[in-house]
Amino acid sequence: MAKADEVFDIAVIGGGAVGLATAWAAGAAGLSVVLFERQPLFHDGGSSGGAERQWRLQYSDERLARLVLAAVPAWRRLEHDIDRPLVHRTGSLWFGDIDQDSNEGQIRAAVAVLDRLSLPYEWLDVKDIESRFGFGGLPGHYQGFHQPDGGAIDVRATLWSLYTLAVATGARILPEVPVREIRPTGTGVQVVTAAGTTRAGAVVVAAGAATTPLLEPLGVHLAMRTFEMPSAYFRLRDPAQDYPTWFAFEPPEESGDAHYYGFGRNPWGHRDLVRVAPDSEANPLPEASRATGVARDADLRRLSAWVDRHLAGLDPTPLAPSTCLVTLPADHDRAFRVGRVPGAERVVYCTSGWIFKFVPLLGQVCVDLAVHGAASADVAELLPAS
Ligand SMILES: Cc1cc2nc3c(=O)[nH]c(=O)nc-3n(C[C@H](O)[C@H](O)[C@H](O)COP(=O)(O)OP(=O)(O)OC[C@H]3O[C@@H](n4cnc5c(N)ncnc54)[C@H](O)[C@@H]3O)c2cc1C
């Protein structure tokens, strides 16, 4: 714990991907930093649990595509500093009804952005998708594209790398210390935990689904929707078969599930298992603390039936089922939430959305907001309005 008279430049609340990236960026900038995580580190109960995330350049919103491109140098630096690859480039396949909207965007709009940014892709009809990528039983009007720079992020190695590099800069990372309250003062903030009160020049709240209750006493309500999304692994019938990362845009089912996504074999994963999941908003939680961490049988049955219909290369028995806590802004037009608390500008927040792919860059953004009051001009114009 911090000594009573110690004052840190930055306190961080939350030891998920965003909090750890902020601690690394702050430490690397020569700032003193303390991070509080209420659970043991690297737990699976937040939004950074599990083994892999999709890496993709295509977005329906051009600013987000440019934000991923802006994150590339930050990923390269992280990979360089820790001396291991973290983003595995397998290509990214999007297919389905090209006008169908989803959490991830829309095929037609994303292709328009790829064109505008002169990013490479190959347009595919249903025959290409089935014969070249191992899918089957798709409606004849389905189309899509393959973008060669997409792939999968090694989640656990990324968290471990951010933690290791942050600690190497002198950052103090304190697991199992829940933060109860943030008190802005004239010159900074006090962060109140069960173990005492810590003083800092600024605080970055990266508490995922629990960010809203921490900010509400400061007069900010970040409206969010939270879900437990199930997923499972499936055994490859032929271990020589592989897939790019993929996303299928389908019309909604009665259950509320519409879209499915999946991964190929990851170098860090099991040799003959691949992950497939519904992109489902079917089971919203009234509050994040109600998450069970257990995939429901009905969800797994639907997932297994989808795999059976469309992925002949996989045994449809779901293995190692799990859930992950997804927090998205309530406003569907907003990709994620990042900003400073009005009237308490030393309090910065960054939460929600599909933001793993931006993480090393967002750590820097949070530090810039906390220290300079603004992100660098080239990145600031790409961030969603706070
Ligand atoms: C199923 C699923 C699939 C996803 N797919 C993708 C994808 O393909 N691509 C992509 O880019 N993103 C994806 N995401 C999103 C991405 O994983 C998240 O945006 C990212 O991990 C969020 O990290 P975080 O640090 O903001 O939140 P979290 O990982 O939830 O971290 C918040 C931390 O704060 C801690 N905390 C909370 N309250 C307190 C407190 N009071 N005191 C101290 N600590 C506290 C929590 O314990 C937690 O560890 C996916 C997410 C899920 C769940």
Side-chain angles (χ1 to χ4, degrees):
M1 198 58 210
K3 294 186 207 91
D5 56 350
E6 202 167 3
V7 182
F8 292 88
D9 293 317
I10 295 191
V12 180
I13 305 175
V18 175
L20 289 170
T22 303
W24 174 49
L31 302 169
S32 60
V33 51
V34 61
L35 179 151
F36 302 101
E37 165 55 51
R38 70 178 170 187
Q39 303 233 37
L41 288 176
F42 313 128
H43 66 96
D44 272 340
S47 295
S48 304
E52 60 271 289
R53 292 289 183 275
Q54 296 212 345
W55 167 259
R56 63 179 161 98
L57 304 189
Q58 67 268 16
Y59 269 94
S60 302
D61 177 343
E62 182 176 327
R63 282 180 317 160
L64 293 175
R66 289 171 54 210
L67 193 64
V68 191
L69 295 173
V72 170
W75 278 103
R76 294 238 165 90
R77 179 169 162 224
L78 178 58
E79 290 176 320
H80 172 269
D81 286 5
I82 202 69
D83 194 21
R84 65 180 289 173
L86 298 169
V87 181
H88 178 55
R89 289 186 171 75
T90 57
S92 170
L93 171 70
W94 272 21
F95 68 89
D97 181 329
I98 66 171
D99 293 311
Q100 178 67 50
D101 287 319
S102 81
N103 274 330
E104 305 284 307
Q106 188 210 54
I107 293 175
R108 190 190 292 278
V111 160
V113 171
L114 289 173
D115 282 337
R116 283 205 294 281
L117 298 179
S118 303
L119 293 168
Y121 68 90
E122 184 185 4
W123 187 251
L124 306 162
D125 65 19
V126 72
K127 284 201 206 74
D128 301 320
I129 297 159
E130 294 196 340
S131 62
R132 287 175 43 197
F133 295 101
F135 290 85
L138 301 176
H141 70 283
Y142 274 18
Q143 292 172 288
F145 63 88
H146 180 261
Q147 204 292 322
D149 303 302
I153 306 170
D154 184 341
V155 168
R156 294 191 177 106
T158 300
L159 298 178
W160 173 85
S161 302
L162 292 167
Y163 167 80
T164 302
L165 294 172
V167 168
T169 67
R172 198 93 60 86
I173 310 274
L174 304 176
E176 300 184 70
V177 183
V179 171
R180 290 177 173 166
E181 192 187 341
I182 300 163
R183 289 188 196 142
T185 63
T187 52
V189 287
Q190 293 181 340
V191 177
V192 182
T193 73
T197 298
T198 298
R199 289 185 296 151
V203 63
V204 174
V205 189
T211 299
T212 301
L214 282 167
L215 296 183
E216 263 167 355
L218 306 179
V220 171
H221 178 76
L222 299 182
M224 311 230 239
R225 46 206 168 104
T226 303
F227 306 86
E228 263 188 299
M229 284 201 180
S231 76
Y233 287 86
F234 293 88
R235 193 172 298 285
L236 288 158
R237 294 186 199 277
D238 171 5
Q241 165 99 44
D242 203 358
Y243 301 91
T245 61
W246 56 269
F247 196 95
F249 293 74
E250 299 222 80
E253 294 171 3
E254 231 172 76
S255 64
D257 288 350
H259 316 297
Y260 290 83
Y261 67 94
F263 296 81
R265 278 184 286 138
N266 297 323
W268 58 88
H270 203 289
R271 207 165 44 89
D272 59 356
L273 297 182
V274 296
R275 188 157 81 85
V276 182
D279 184 54
S280 164
E281 294 201 15
N283 307 311
L285 294 167
E287 52 185 75
S289 60
R290 301 277 276 276
T292 63
V294 179
R296 301 179 335 163
D297 285 345
D299 292 339
L300 292 174
R301 274 198 300 277
R302 274 197 300 276
L303 176 59
S304 170
W306 196 91
V307 167
D308 199 30
R309 273 201 306 281
H310 299 299
L311 283 161
L314 301 183
D315 179 326
T317 310
L319 303 170
S322 62
T323 65
C324 184
L325 196 66
V326 177
T327 303
L328 301 175
D331 171 358
H332 287 252
D333 293 334
R334 219 184 272 267
F336 59 96
R337 307 293 304 247
V338 62
R340 297 191 299 159
V341 170
E345 275 79 13
R346 297 303 193 106
V347 182
V348 169
Y349 57 86
C350 180
T351 184
S352 69
W354 309 100
I355 56 176
F356 209 96
K357 59 187 85 59
F358 306 120
V359 143
L361 179 66
L362 288 180
Q364 186 60 53
V365 166
C366 289
V367 172
D368 287 342
L369 286 170
V371 176
H372 308 299
S376 65
D378 51 334
V379 174
E381 58 154 345
L382 305 177
L383 299 174
S386 56

